[in-house]
Amino acid sequence: MESLRWWQRAVFYQIYPRSFADGNGDGIGDFVGMAARLDYLRELGVDALWLSPHYPSPFLDCGYDITDYTGVAPEYGTLDDFAAFLREAHARGLRVILDLVLNHSSDQHPWFVESRAGRDSPKRDWYVWRDPAPGGGPPNNWTSIFGGPAWTLDPATGQYYYHAFLKEQPDLNWRSPALKAAMWDAARFWLDLGVDGFRLDAIATIFEDPELRDHDLDLDMDALVDVNTLTPEQYERLMGRQSKQPGLHELMRELRALVDAYPGDRVLVGEDDDLTFHGSGEDELHLVFNFPLMRARRLTPGHVRANQALRLAALPAGAWPCNTLGNHDSPRVWSRYGDGAHDAALARLHLALLLTLKGTPFLYYGEEIGMADLQLGALEQVRDMAALHRYARLVGRGGVAPEAATRITLATTRDRCRGPMQWGAGPNAGFSPPGVATWLPVHPNAQAGVSVAAQAGDPGSLLGFYRRMLALRRATPALVAGDYEDLPEAGQGCLAFLRRGAGQACLVALSFAADAQALDLGPVGGRARLRFASAGRAEGGLVEGELALGPFEVVVAELG
């Protein structure tokens, strides 16, 4: 354990600043509110916080369209408020990493305003500008990840600018030495303030094919409404020349050298699942998300086994795994993996999976109380511009009736997983004062026990389970530092594996079935002492011969 670095031992907790805690009563979360909830996070048992973007922004892409890389959005407070939050987090032993958005800025950023002022602007090459195609129109047939062309014409200068996402998010040109220096200065600004690292947004899209070659996907692009409807093979052919281009790994090594120059072991976490971003294991990113684990519509023992076999075998020497099941872009765990009949048991099972697999776990705010996806009732409630953009394309190019397009938009918007944190059962669930209009609606289930206040004093609640599981992980060296060894003979409905290391060996048995399962302990020596169980077992008792698991039961036992 002592040989591991802090980010290998830590459990991370992602906070969406707009939705966590409203400290000034305006319906929007802020740093004063977050600072007031730090004791809750420390008592929960997490070790580090990842903040989604807190920078000034028009909020057309939920804060990922930035107008100042070294500022704080006024709705979240001031730079002094941020510094106070960071100081108080560190005083409680909580590390803090920020979202660093490298691929693009807002079109309202002063850099882009100056860049588009004229072809001779000193910052013209800070963004990707190109002349029209010889016959007119965009320089090539590239598409935006949010749908539509990836090029927008600036009539004043007669050139197009490139944007991998919304047209209000022009791509930064990392081939410009001056732009790169300015972005590294922004990173140093936050590191100088004491942040513990960065989660790097959309890193695969930082560079584009410099020859601007067309993609060769044989598809009616005018009829394409959403790239997420493509198969993985189609997506690769469509976006291959807009992502993972030469120069990317060199840039990551440069950033790694920058953060390594700071004391305190700062960390870089990549929003990608490509293990090559680890580089040699010591010279690029520290952590890369295991997104393939969470992409399954339903988690099964077979999927987890196959995922772990592939990911752990492919890790470069010296690299460390990183697992998550949810974030600000995906449906909440409760809604995504629930089955309507066993939602609470499944929520416990999936947390246990995250905390017992090898690697650094990332949790998403509100999962610990079972927050579910918001069910918005009208298009006017949607704040996710990408969803509204998709709605317009459904109605326009897709020929979908507005009523049907509205239903699709409300069922798929990312706003569903970004609702206000549910602290209590009163009006606005304790997120904002009663009578204040919150930026997104509060889920009505806050009045039915899905809140911190309702669960805090109940050891049998989901929150109580989170606290117990987090405490178990912290107190069990093998669950943090041990190697992973699959036990494939566990059976179809059961996932069982060993974690061996740090002078300890533990058996983890997880039932993914709604009926009883039996696990033969013979392959692990036939005898183990119970450390943790999700239901009805006395901790400390011996488990011998065969372990009978109840529906969706979690068991952790120490061998020997």
Side-chain angles (χ1 to χ4, degrees):
M1 282 281 283
E2 291 75 14
S3 64
L4 295 183
R5 300 159 84 171
W6 71 263
W7 46 268
Q8 294 173 310
R9 299 190 302 270
V11 175
F12 281 77
Y13 182 99
Q14 182 188 356
I15 290 177
Y16 199 67
R18 210 172 191 84
S19 295
F20 195 63
D22 174 11
N24 65 1
D26 65 354
I28 298 173
D30 49 47
F31 279 111
V32 170
M34 284 189 279
R37 299 294 185 175
L38 288 171
D39 285 338
Y40 163 78
L41 294 169
R42 181 68 271 178
E43 292 165 6
L44 178 62
V46 298
D47 308 284
L49 310 176
W50 155 30
L51 304 186
S52 291
H54 67 279
Y55 314 97
S57 167
F59 211 71
L60 294 178
D61 187 24
C62 305
Y64 285 89
D65 48 325
I66 294 168
T67 59
D68 181 0
Y69 282 97
T70 59
V72 172
E75 61 266 35
Y76 299 151
T78 65
L79 192 58
D80 286 343
D81 292 329
F82 170 84
F85 165 81
L86 182 63
R87 184 170 58 251
E88 291 299 319
H90 283 167
R92 290 162 175 80
L94 294 167
R95 308 274 188 153
V96 177
I97 69 170
L98 305 183
D99 230 311
L100 187 60
V101 184
L102 300 175
N103 179 70
H104 50 264
S105 75
S106 165
D107 64 348
Q108 297 180 37
H109 195 296
W111 295 347
F112 187 72
V113 173
E114 184 176 346
S115 181
R116 78 186 309 173
R119 292 194 182 203
D120 59 352
S121 166
K123 289 188 171 61
R124 188 67 170 183
D125 74 339
W126 286 34
Y127 294 84
V128 182
W129 292 94
R130 294 293 185 272
D131 289 328
N140 60 25
N141 66 356
W142 291 356
T143 187
S144 159
I145 290 171
F146 288 157
W151 298 93
T152 292
L153 177 66
D154 177 49
T157 61
Q159 285 190 316
Y160 285 82
Y161 67 87
Y162 173 70
H163 49 92
F165 296 90
L166 295 175
K167 65 181 177 62
E168 295 86 1
Q169 294 171 288
D171 269 46
L172 297 166
N173 177 24
W174 281 86
R175 294 187 174 92
S176 163
L179 177 278
K180 182 167 67 171
M183 289 298 289
W184 287 168
D185 283 345
R188 290 188 186 96
F189 175 86
W190 297 107
L191 293 168
D192 289 341
L193 282 177
V195 303
D196 298 288
F198 302 105
R199 176 265 193 186
L200 308 177
D201 180 66
I203 52 174
T205 57
I206 288 173
F207 288 108
E208 309 79 36
D209 175 13
E211 297 181 27
L212 302 186
R213 292 170 294 179
D214 283 352
H215 70 73
D216 61 358
L217 182 63
D218 185 15
L219 195 69
D220 182 359
M221 298 307 297
D222 284 339
L224 179 64
V225 173
D226 188 345
V227 298
N228 292 316
T229 62
L230 300 175
T231 66
E233 294 75 21
Q234 288 176 321
Y235 186 88
E236 177 61 30
R237 289 181 62 188
L238 179 68
M239 302 302 298
R241 289 175 179 156
Q242 297 174 245
S243 64
K244 297 187 179 178
Q245 292 294 303
L248 186 52
H249 291 285
E250 291 82 355
L251 190 71
M252 293 300 101
R253 287 195 289 272
E254 192 172 334
L255 179 55
R256 173 64 176 267
L258 187 156
V259 301
D260 281 352
Y262 281 80
D265 197 16
R266 317 298 172 97
V267 67
L268 296 174
V269 186
E271 189 205 10
D272 207 284
D273 56 37
D274 187 344
L275 293 174
T276 65
F277 280 116
H278 285 295
S280 69
E282 295 290 343
D283 63 349
E284 291 190 42
L285 306 187
H286 301 83
L287 297 173
V288 174
F289 285 115
N290 181 5
F291 288 142
L293 179 66
M294 65 179 279
R295 285 195 183 123
R297 291 184 179 272
R298 177 172 172 264
L299 290 177
T300 64
H303 173 70
V304 178
R305 282 194 182 97
N307 171 268
Q308 291 297 288
L310 183 63
R311 297 288 294 187
L312 295 178
L315 272 178
W320 188 255
C322 172
N323 301 302
T324 189
L325 291 178
N327 59 31
H328 61 291
D329 284 332
S330 62
R332 285 194 170 275
V333 169
W334 184 278
S335 300
R336 183 173 192 167
Y337 298 122
D339 65 359
H342 309 96
D343 293 344
L346 286 165
R348 288 170 166 82
L349 174 69
H350 294 132
L351 172 71
L353 175 68
L354 266 187
L355 296 188
T356 56
L357 287 177
K358 182 175 182 177
T360 299
F362 275 68
L363 310 178
Y364 188 51
Y365 83 95
E367 305 287 10
E368 71 272 19
I369 55 172
M371 282 180 63
D373 284 350
L374 282 176
Q375 303 299 315
L376 300 178
L379 205 61
E380 292 72 25
Q381 293 178 305
V382 175
R383 300 291 176 263
D384 177 4
M385 186 60 66
L388 295 176
H389 188 65
R390 186 165 57 248
Y391 167 85
R393 289 182 62 79
L394 283 168
V395 173
R397 301 194 176 195
V400 178
E403 296 81 5
T406 297
R407 288 195 299 272
I408 294 170
T409 302
L410 296 180
T412 57
T413 172
R414 296 173 298 172
D415 291 331
R416 293 174 301 154
C417 66
R418 298 171 176 177
M421 178 68 176
Q422 295 161 204
W423 296 103
N428 283 336
F431 170 77
S432 289
V436 172
T438 55
W439 83 279
L440 280 174
V442 174
H443 200 296
N445 67 11
Q447 311 304 317
V450 184
S451 72
V452 173
Q455 298 182 27
D458 179 7
S461 67
L462 183 58
L463 178 58
F465 183 82
Y466 264 70
R467 288 172 171 167
R468 288 176 58 212
M469 275 296 311
L470 286 162
L472 172 74
R473 186 179 189 274
R474 186 186 297 267
T476 310
L479 294 182
V480 178
D483 289 329
Y484 171 93
E485 179 185 336
D486 183 38
L487 297 174
E489 62 273 12
Q492 186 174 2
C494 178
L495 176 69
F497 52 90
L498 301 179
R499 298 293 309 279
R500 295 184 190 268
Q504 187 181 48
C506 285
L507 165 71
V508 178
L510 307 173
S511 170
F512 285 72
D515 54 4
Q517 300 288 306
L519 173 64
D520 181 5
L521 294 182
V524 298
R527 181 176 177 142
R529 187 171 297 278
L530 191 67
R531 289 289 307 277
F532 183 93
S534 59
R537 298 179 190 265
E539 294 180 13
L542 287 178
V543 181
E544 300 184 75
E546 185 176 88
L547 174 62
L549 292 172
F552 307 111
E553 188 175 4
V554 174
V555 169
V556 179
E558 186 172 356
L559 304 182

